[in-house]
Amino acid sequence: QVQLVESGGGLVQTGGSLRLSCTASGRSFSNYVMAWFRQAPGNEREFVAVIDKSGGSTAYTAFVKGRFTISRDNAKNTVYLQMNSLKPEDTAVYYCAADGAYSGTYYTSYAYWGRGTQVTVSS
């Protein structure tokens, strides 16, 4: 019903910034909760941030709170993740996810996923 495509990843030094984008195809983008997850080699996929359908409420893992900001532009069918003060431990493949009902932190509960974009932070 919806396809997600991430972009904006790359290589950045410690303390730098990146902005990730996830653009959705399909209809009724505003009916989906949107989230960002990340997965480093050898690690489990972990929750990063979530935003409600209107963009009025957000939540973050404690590891990124104060450094990352999730936002959405429903007119453009796009969700963003602004990442500031990046650390080497932020290195991972970042995925966006969407669901029509779920808004928690368990990745297995999200219905739709992008293919991911690589973020590498050098020390």
Side-chain angles (χ1 to χ4, degrees):
Q1 188 172 350
V2 59
Q3 291 182 297
L4 307 175
V5 180
E6 302 96 335
S7 63
L11 175 64
V12 66
Q13 294 183 3
T14 297
S17 298
L18 286 172
R19 189 180 75 159
L20 306 184
S21 299
C22 175
T23 299
S25 63
R27 304 176 67 179
S28 301
F29 178 76
S30 62
N31 288 337
Y32 293 96
V33 173
M34 301 296 298
W36 287 96
F37 290 78
R38 65 187 182 185
Q39 187 167 20
N43 292 350
E44 297 181 352
R45 190 168 300 187
E46 66 176 358
F47 169 79
V48 177
V50 64
I51 188 166
D52 70 1
K53 297 175 181 181
S54 68
S57 182
T58 60
Y60 303 87
T61 177
F63 295 114
V64 308
K65 188 175 295 184
R67 300 188 297 120
F68 290 12
T69 302
I70 187 172
S71 62
R72 67 191 295 162
D73 186 341
N74 287 348
K76 297 181 178 180
N77 281 16
T78 301
V79 63
Y80 305 95
L81 186 68
Q82 178 67 47
M83 305 185 295
N84 299 325
S85 301
L86 283 162
K87 306 174 181 179
E89 51 262 46
D90 296 319
T91 296
V93 176
Y94 283 71
Y95 301 89
C96 65
D99 198 88
Y102 188 69
S103 61
T105 62
Y106 295 102
Y107 73 88
T108 55
S109 295
Y110 284 86
Y112 306 104
W113 291 87
R115 293 183 180 272
T117 185
Q118 177 70 49
V119 172
T120 303
V121 184
S122 64
S123 60

